Structures are given as C-alpha cells and as structure tokens.
Amino acid sequence: MKEKKNRKFSIKMQKKLVVLFFIVLLAFAGLGGRLIWIARENGTQYQKQVLSQQQYDSITIPFRRGDIVDARGTQLATSEKVYNLIIDASVMTSRQQYIEPTLQALASNFPQLDMTAIRQHVSANKSSQWYVAAKRLTYEEISGFQTDQAKNSNIKGVWFEEEYRRIYPGGSLAADVIGFASSSNVGQYGLEEYYNDILNGTNGREYGYLNDDSTLERTVKAAVDGYTIHTTIDANIQSIVEKCLLEFNEKYKNKAREGNGAENIACIIMEINTGKILAMASLPTYDLNDPRNTDALLGSHLYEQVDIGNGYYQVNKTDTIVTQEVLDELKKDETQLYANLNNLWKNYCIASTYEPGSTIKPFTVASALETGAISGGEHYTCSGYYEVGGHKIGCHPTTGGHGDVDVQSSIAWSCNIALMKIAQSMGRESFSKFQNVFNFGLRTNVDLAGETRTTDVIYKAAEMGPTDLATNSFGQNFNVTMIQMITGYCSLINGGYYYEPHLVDKITNASGATVQNIEPRVLKVTVSESTSKLIRQYCRATVMEEGGESRTGRTARPAGYAIGGKTGTAETYPRDNNEYVVSFMGYAPADDPQIAIYVVVDRANAAKQDDAKFATEIVRNVLTEVLPYLNIFMTEELDDKEIKELEERKLAVTTMYATNSETSPENGEGDTTSSSDNPYDNGDGTITDVTGETGSKRPAWMNYPIDPATGYRVSPSGDYVDAQTGELINKSEGVLGDDIPVNPNIANPRQGMD
C-alpha cells in the first residue's frame, strides 16, 4: 500500500517539474525576444553610448614622435604637444546652470569656433559625450579657457585631448632629406619614412574601473616616446648649399624661357673618408610645414598621369610651365595634382637618373689602370672625331681636335677620343665589371626612402656593342643617380675605400641615452692606392694646372683654394634637342681631400645649355663659404679680383701659406703677413722673434695657420699665438666659444663665426 502511494507522489512531482520547466523556458524565450527587439530597434544607440563611455573612461595617451637633429644637435624635425577641444554635451546639459557659462567661456576664448553650430549640437544631442569642436590648439590657445574653468565651477562638459603635431623649424631646410610625417605619424619620403619605426613610439592608456567599493579608480600605462635620430647633415652647410642653389635659380629664372632657372638643380656634399653626407639639396623644393602648398609648383614643368592599362599609370612631363592659371585648373583634378606634388616631393639626388657625361671619365681611366689596360704613360691622337661601329663620334673642340693627348690630359681636357681608345684597350667585359665595382646599376643603400633601382639603365657586357662601349666611356647612353656618382667618386679619391653613404650616425632615446651608434662602413675596395693617387693628380690638373680654355674645371676653383674635379655635359633624349645636363664633381682641398661636392644642373634656363659653367659657378660659390666654415685654410695666392669677391661676400681671408717655393712651409718659411705689417721684420730679410734672437729663417710660429674666427695663429698642439708677435695665448684662460680673445689687428675678428 505504501509503495503504491510513493509511486503516485513521484508522478505528481514529475508533472509539476515539467510545468516549471516550461515556465522557465517561456521566460527565457521572452527575454531573448526582448533582447532581439532591443538590438534591432535601439542597437546603434546603445552601441554609441558604450563606445562613447569607453572613449571617455579609457583615454589614449599619445607617444611623442622622436626628433630629427643635425650633426650639431640643431632640431630639423620635432613634435609639439597640441590639444583637441572635446565637448561632452551630456555633462554640459546635466544641469541647466552649466550651459550658458560654458558656452560663453568657449566663445570668449576661441573666437574661431562656430558657436551657432555648437549650440545646435548641444541642444540636439544632449546624450552626446564626444564632439570635436577644434583640433590642434596650442597650450597658449587653451590656457585662457582653463583659467576660466578653474575660476568658475559651472563651466562643465569641455575637456582637451592631447596629441602631437610635427613641426619643422627650418621650413624648407633639407626638405629632400627629412621628408614629412602625416597627422597619424606615418612618415613620407626621406628620413621620416626610412626611420618611421624608429621615430614612432607606443601609445599609453589611462583606464577607468570600479573597485570593490564601487569607487572609480584609474590606472595609467605610460606612453613610450619615439627615438631621436642624429643626422650627419650640418645645418649651416645645408643652408649655404640651399642659398647658392636659390641664387642660381633667381639668376636664370625666365631668362631664355618662362619658368625656373633649370629643370632641376641639385648638390651633395660628402665626407670622403666616412661616407657621411653633410648636405643634400635640390630645387624646386617645398615647405615641410605645408607640403601640400601648391605654390611650390609654380615655374616647374607640368606633369600628367596617364593610364597605360592593367591598373598601371605613367607620369609624363609636358611642355607646359605651371603658371597661376595652370595651377587653378590643376587643383580641380586631385589625381593630376598629386602626380605633380609627388614629383615635387621626391629627392632628385637619389630618385632621378640621367646620363653623367664626362664626370664618368675618371672612373673609366681608373678602371683601365686597375685592369692593366693602361699604365698612365700612354698618349693618344685626337683629330676631332673617332669612327666606331660605323659611327663618327665627335670630341670638343669639334674641329681639329686636341692633337696629342696623354692620360692626364684626357681628363683635364675632357677628350672623348682618348677615352674611347682607353675603353677599347680595356674591353667590354672589364668595363662592365668595373661599372658594378663602382655600384652603377645597383642601389647604394643610403638610408633614405625612395632610392631608384638602376639595373635596367646600364648595359650588361653581353649587350654592349663597340659603339655602346665607346659612348659609355665618356658618360653617354647609360644612366646613374647622383648618390651613386659621388659615393663612387669618394672611393676614387680616398685610396679606394667604398663607404656606404649614410645620413644617420646615432640614435638616442627620449632620455638622451644612446641606443645605437652607426659607424662608417667600408663595403668594398674599388681601386688601389696607386690608382687613387693618379686620379687625384688628374683631377687636380683639371682645375688647377695651366692650360687656358682647355682646362675644363678651372671655373670651379674657389678663391684661395686648390681643389680637384671633373666637369660633365650630357645631351638628353631625344638627341639634337639642344637640352643638356651639366655637372661638376670634385674634392677639396686638393692636397688633403676632406670633402667631395657634386652639383648637377638639369637643363638650365639658357639659350645654350651645354656649358659646364652653370655647375661650376655653384660649386665655386658653395666652396667659397663651406671651406672656411670647416676650418680648411686657404693655400693659394689671392688676386685683387678674388679679394674683392671675398669682401663682397663678407668672408675672411684665411690664407695659410704663401705659394711661391721660396716661402713654402717645407723649408721653414711662408707667411701671408707682409713685412711692413710685422713689427718684428727687420726689413733686411731677417726677423727677430719674441725671444730677441735674429736670424735668416722665420720662427716656427709664423708657419701656423690663422684661425679666421679669432685672427690668431693655431699651433699643432692647439694653442693660440699672436699672428704678428708670436706671443702665446694660454688656451686654458678662455679661448673657446664667446670667450675667445680677439685680435685687434684684424678688422672683423669674429667674422665667419657661427
């Protein structure tokens, strides 16, 4: 009986459980339906609220992009903290008493704001927590509002989001080298792009959360700032180069045709024994703080982007010069506008190719010397032309020729005929091999974004016919970049060491600690020391030795200095269009090479473009200022014209020694101070030194170079002595910086100081 009762109880309970199960199931079904309805009808609204709350409670702390500085620590690119003005309408409207004081404070402190639009936004979006009213305000611009906010507790619902703005203190200074960065910290062109990951840091974050007592707590993960890159660029040298390029452009602008002084004008200065680039510049250029300012395009040729099919485009130069009217039309087509801006932003020194012309001749001669094809004692006959592969290839002068030409004169006189014969004696295999040795056809791997590959613009040995070999020998029918040429040339001059060209030599963190030192790297040896010595001799002769008009580089020599180098002239395509690229590549000083300079003038604005003087006048002007700045003293006698030139440029005379053999430093003599100015000159060929002794030889101190900044002589140990009396100036008593004692015997003792 009891068993039957338990069985009935179990069945009853089972029925109740089934009913309860279905009730719970229906409840979940109803809840699920409600959630689906909410998601469908109000999902966007809730999503915005959640995201808005996340933005408000969890704040991003931006990193600071690292600086770019020059070799002396001068800022070339830096990041400045700026503020975005954020309006939180939900807070502002949470109490009626907040609205008007806040809006009035905004209106009085930020006159640039559209207060009508802000009022409408606050009124229509009372739940909004995120409205950007203004971007990139400086601290000075927001400080007034913050002061009002501190004084008035009813100013609510406004806060400032921090970020950084990239600024370039030099404006257009070194624009090709630096490049620029977008608002999202993405580098474009130059160092900004190449070192983008190094310059960028990592954002931090401030988190909000509720603790066990339901109190809002915050924790901060600090941002990690980007590293600073220290460049090899010297801002002073860079400024001199850019000034000289601009002077050239202004001189020749609109001269033979409408437009700039040349299609392109560019210069690189490099340390011969390290590969460090001290300056790199080209025109036309642009302001890094406003890279999209289209005024920079005025005077340039218009470029046109053409669709060539299959998703590829080609940018072609037109014959049209960009005037204001052309620019107004260009602005209507964003695609074509950016085709022209991209052409402006690229670095001509590493991205553009051209035929080098006769600046290649030292490379050809060096290659022949290295292979043993010539010894340096050969002579060649130049009759004005040479027939190769069924073609008559001419020389300058075009009539009569140079006559008897030795190897040195083949460079100094720039004889095409001699170079063709030298290349023939070497053969195409050796010629092609040495093109690769000097890195033609390959990238130099300079640390800049945008270096062009040149594999397809030089001949391979198997493709090179007799005419190709002949024309290649003097720099026609193959292309190079400026960075390839000057890097290879440095190896010709420095004993054969091919240094990797570089623009950054140190990386530091935000605290100033060194993260990485980048030492000069020798990648290979191109030529022997004996060949290098001969090339230095030949290039020196090109500029310095007597020979009248036949010396092609004489106009590049700065007043008071001996240098070496080679000019170049190359006709552009299509041939016979009378358009030329002219150049000069050289080194200074001639007897102790320290720097190399390379200037290219691409299609000068002149009726007759095939004149290397367009390039040499820039070289002369640049070196006239750069060499004294580098404390490289003059060694050559100045004529009246040169003295006047230096006076007009307000540059000091820094002659180290007289130039005639009777007063050379080797025999203990030689000084540029005239006897009439020297109180210790006895007037009879003898000099009494500061000890009171009289003799036929000048004392050693008279051979010390004169420091242009102070007017004193500098001994080998670094001590200063009076230029006329020899009196020792104790270096420890203050001869550095602004404390350098000045010589009263020179008109402007601090002239030329930084």
Side-chain angles (χ1 to χ4, degrees):
M1 185 74 181
K2 187 177 180 180
E3 182 181 348
K4 183 176 180 182
K5 185 178 180 180
N6 287 339
R7 189 167 55 245
K8 287 181 179 180
F9 177 80
S10 297
I11 294 172
K12 186 177 180 180
M13 288 301 297
Q14 288 174 10
K15 289 180 179 180
K16 288 181 179 181
L17 287 173
V18 169
V19 171
L20 180 61
F21 171 77
F22 278 107
I23 291 172
V24 173
L25 186 62
L26 288 172
F28 274 107
L31 180 60
R34 179 61 177 171
L35 290 174
I36 293 170
W37 183 87
I38 290 173
R40 186 183 65 187
E41 299 296 327
N42 304 100
T44 303
Q45 177 185 348
Y46 286 122
Q47 184 181 32
K48 286 181 178 178
Q49 289 180 356
V50 170
L51 291 175
S52 179
Q53 188 68 27
Q54 286 178 337
Q55 187 71 46
Y56 192 78
D57 287 347
S58 182
I59 302 171
T60 298
I61 302 174
F63 65 82
R64 183 181 183 278
R65 188 172 172 92
D67 289 348
I68 300 174
V69 301
D70 87 331
R72 298 173 184 269
T74 303
Q75 286 183 336
L76 302 176
T78 189
S79 294
E80 173 186 67
K81 185 175 283 189
V82 290
Y83 305 85
N84 297 331
L85 194 163
I86 310 299
I87 292 177
D88 186 338
S90 67
V91 173
M92 191 187 302
T93 59
S94 63
R95 292 190 180 183
Q96 190 65 31
Q97 68 205 54
Y98 294 160
I99 299 175
E100 284 307 316
T102 304
L103 293 175
Q104 288 174 11
L106 287 171
S108 62
N109 286 283
F110 305 105
Q112 72 272 32
L113 295 180
D114 184 347
M115 293 307 300
T116 301
I118 290 175
R119 283 181 177 274
Q120 289 175 350
H121 169 79
V122 171
S123 177
N125 301 275
K126 294 182 179 181
S127 60
S128 169
Q129 295 177 311
W130 184 265
Y131 176 74
V132 182
K135 289 185 174 183
R136 298 198 162 193
L137 302 171
T138 64
Y139 178 76
E140 289 74 18
E141 290 175 309
I142 71 169
S143 59
F145 181 87
Q146 288 180 323
T147 300
D148 291 347
Q149 199 172 32
K151 292 178 180 178
N152 190 342
S153 60
N154 287 328
I155 297 177
K156 299 287 186 179
V158 175
W159 59 286
F160 297 96
E161 176 191 47
E162 295 181 357
E163 64 175 45
Y164 287 94
R165 175 178 64 184
R166 198 67 164 164
I167 58 173
Y168 302 91
S172 62
L173 183 71
D176 283 345
V177 172
I178 299 170
F180 53 93
S182 68
S183 58
S184 55
N185 284 316
V186 177
Q188 298 180 51
Y189 298 92
L191 295 169
E192 290 277 29
E193 181 177 338
Y194 190 92
Y195 286 98
N196 188 65
D197 292 343
I198 299 293
L199 291 164
N200 274 345
T202 305
N203 283 331
R205 202 156 187 88
E206 182 178 348
Y207 298 94
Y209 64 94
L210 295 177
N211 62 17
D212 293 339
D213 298 325
S214 297
T215 302
L216 182 65
E217 297 281 355
R218 293 193 176 276
T219 184
V220 176
K221 180 183 179 183
V224 178
D225 292 337
Y227 292 157
T228 290
I229 58 175
H230 298 252
T231 73
T232 60
I233 291 290
D234 186 312
N236 293 321
I237 297 177
Q238 183 76 24
S239 296
I240 292 169
V241 168
E242 292 188 12
K243 179 190 71 172
C244 293
L245 296 186
L246 187 60
E247 286 174 352
F248 179 93
N249 189 63
E250 292 302 314
K251 179 178 178 180
Y252 292 98
K253 183 186 289 184
N254 301 320
K255 193 159 189 178
R257 60 184 185 273
E258 186 178 28
N260 291 330
E263 184 76 15
N264 295 283
I265 318 164
C267 175
I268 303 175
I269 296 179
M270 180 182 286
E271 281 188 356
I272 285 177
N273 297 307
T274 64
K276 293 181 179 180
I277 297 172
L278 303 182
M280 176 185 284
S282 70
L283 288 181
T285 189
Y286 60 96
D287 186 347
L288 290 168
N289 293 307
D290 190 12
R292 289 168 180 79
N293 189 329
T294 54
D295 288 348
L297 297 172
L298 293 171
S300 299
H301 278 275
L302 179 70
Y303 283 77
E304 182 179 29
Q305 181 170 299
V306 179
D307 187 347
I308 58 176
N310 297 323
Y312 291 97
Y313 296 87
Q314 183 172 300
V315 178
N316 300 322
K317 188 186 81 171
T318 71
D319 293 330
T320 303
I321 298 296
V322 178
T323 61
Q324 189 59 55
E325 293 74 18
V326 172
L327 193 56
D328 291 340
E329 286 298 315
L330 186 61
K331 290 177 183 177
K332 299 176 183 178
D333 188 336
E334 189 171 293
T335 298
Q336 298 301 334
L337 175 62
Y338 272 88
N340 284 270
L341 285 174
N342 281 317
N343 185 68
L344 174 71
W345 295 333
K346 75 177 184 180
N347 185 344
Y348 181 86
C349 298
I350 66 170
S352 296
T353 68
Y354 55 92
E355 294 181 354
S358 294
T359 50
I360 208 68
K361 289 175 179 175
F363 292 91
T364 302
V365 171
S367 302
L369 288 167
E370 282 297 296
T371 59
I374 62 172
S375 64
E378 290 78 6
H379 285 253
Y380 305 92
T381 300
C382 173
S383 60
Y385 71 91
Y386 188 55
E387 188 168 338
V388 181
H391 300 276
K392 283 188 175 182
I393 303 175
C395 190
H396 292 283
T398 54
T399 58
H402 292 107
D404 181 65
V405 180
D406 62 12
V407 175
Q408 176 170 293
S409 297
S410 72
I411 293 177
W413 298 348
S414 201
C415 179
N416 291 348
I417 308 306
L419 265 293
M420 287 187 278
K421 292 178 178 179
I422 289 172
Q424 277 185 333
S425 67
M426 185 171 22
R428 64 183 184 183
E429 292 289 344
S430 294
F431 184 88
S432 181
K433 171 191 170 184
F434 270 88
Q435 279 193 318
N436 284 321
V437 167
F438 293 121
N439 237 54
F440 301 132
L442 306 171
R443 286 196 180 110
T444 63
N445 288 327
V446 63
D447 48 346
L448 283 174
E451 185 179 10
T452 296
R453 289 178 59 87
T454 56
T455 306
D456 297 329
V457 290
I458 66 167
Y459 283 94
K460 297 178 176 60
E463 303 166 346
M464 189 179 292
T467 305
D468 303 321
L469 176 61
T471 55
N472 277 203
S473 70
F474 56 84
Q476 293 275 180
N477 288 330
F478 76 97
N479 282 33
V480 296
T481 63
M482 286 186 69
I483 191 65
Q484 286 176 339
M485 286 293 288
I486 192 170
T487 308
Y489 188 72
C490 285
S491 76
L492 284 184
I493 302 305
N494 69 16
Y497 301 103
Y498 189 98
Y499 285 91
E500 183 177 57
H502 63 284
L503 280 138
V504 173
D505 58 8
K506 187 168 70 171
I507 298 171
T508 59
N509 63 19
S511 301
T514 299
V515 174
Q516 182 181 1
N517 278 314
I518 302 172
E519 301 294 338
R521 292 179 59 201
V522 177
L523 301 183
K524 53 188 168 183
V525 176
T526 57
V527 296
S528 63
E529 172 56 42
S530 59
T531 294
S532 179
K533 183 178 180 180
L534 286 173
I535 296 300
R536 291 196 297 270
Q537 173 190 319
Y538 300 160
C539 287
R540 189 187 197 283
T542 303
V543 179
M544 300 303 299
E545 290 197 0
E546 295 299 324
E549 290 297 316
S550 59
R551 268 191 304 115
T552 62
R554 67 196 181 284
T555 54
R557 186 181 77 83
Y561 291 94
I563 68 169
K566 182 70 191 80
T567 55
T569 305
E571 190 174 15
T572 64
Y573 281 100
R575 304 299 192 197
D576 301 321
N577 63 0
N578 293 318
E579 293 187 348
Y580 293 84
V581 175
V582 297
S583 57
F584 179 88
M585 184 157 54
Y587 64 90
D591 299 324
D592 181 23
Q594 299 297 314
I595 62 170
I597 182 170
Y598 188 28
V599 169
V600 172
V601 178
D602 176 13
R603 288 161 282 197
N605 194 338
K608 187 176 184 297
Q609 296 180 6
D610 58 336
D611 189 343
K613 291 188 184 69
F614 292 124
T616 58
E617 72 174 85
I618 295 174
V619 171
R620 178 183 172 88
N621 290 338
V622 169
L623 292 182
T624 296
E625 296 191 47
V626 167
L627 293 177
Y629 171 77
L630 291 174
N631 290 323
I632 297 173
F633 297 111
M634 295 179 180
T635 58
E636 307 303 301
E637 188 175 355
L638 295 167
D639 59 31
D640 292 340
K641 182 179 178 182
E642 290 173 330
I643 292 173
K644 184 178 179 181
E645 175 191 347
L646 294 176
E647 289 175 350
E648 289 175 350
R649 287 181 169 266
K650 298 182 179 179
L651 298 173
V653 175
T654 61
T655 310
M656 184 173 177
Y657 301 117
T659 55
N660 66 70
S661 59
E662 294 180 359
T663 58
S664 65
E666 285 77 6
N667 58 22
E669 302 177 3
D671 179 48
T672 58
T673 306
S674 66
S675 61
S676 61
D677 293 333
N678 190 342
Y680 288 80
D681 194 317
N682 298 319
D684 59 0
T686 64
I687 291 177
T688 302
D689 67 15
V690 291
T691 65
E693 296 182 0
T694 301
S696 59
K697 284 191 175 184
R698 307 166 88 97
W701 59 265
M702 283 197 171
N703 297 321
Y704 299 160
I706 294 177
D707 177 7
T710 64
Y712 290 109
R713 297 185 182 278
V714 185
S715 74
S717 62
D719 291 328
Y720 286 78
V721 298
D722 189 281
Q724 295 181 353
T725 67
E727 180 183 357
L728 178 66
I729 308 296
N730 191 341
K731 192 165 185 178
S732 64
E733 293 181 356
V735 295
L736 299 176
D738 292 334
D739 295 326
I740 297 177
V742 297
N743 189 334
N745 297 314
I746 60 175
N748 187 359
R750 291 192 178 276
Q751 191 166 291
M753 290 185 68
D754 186 10

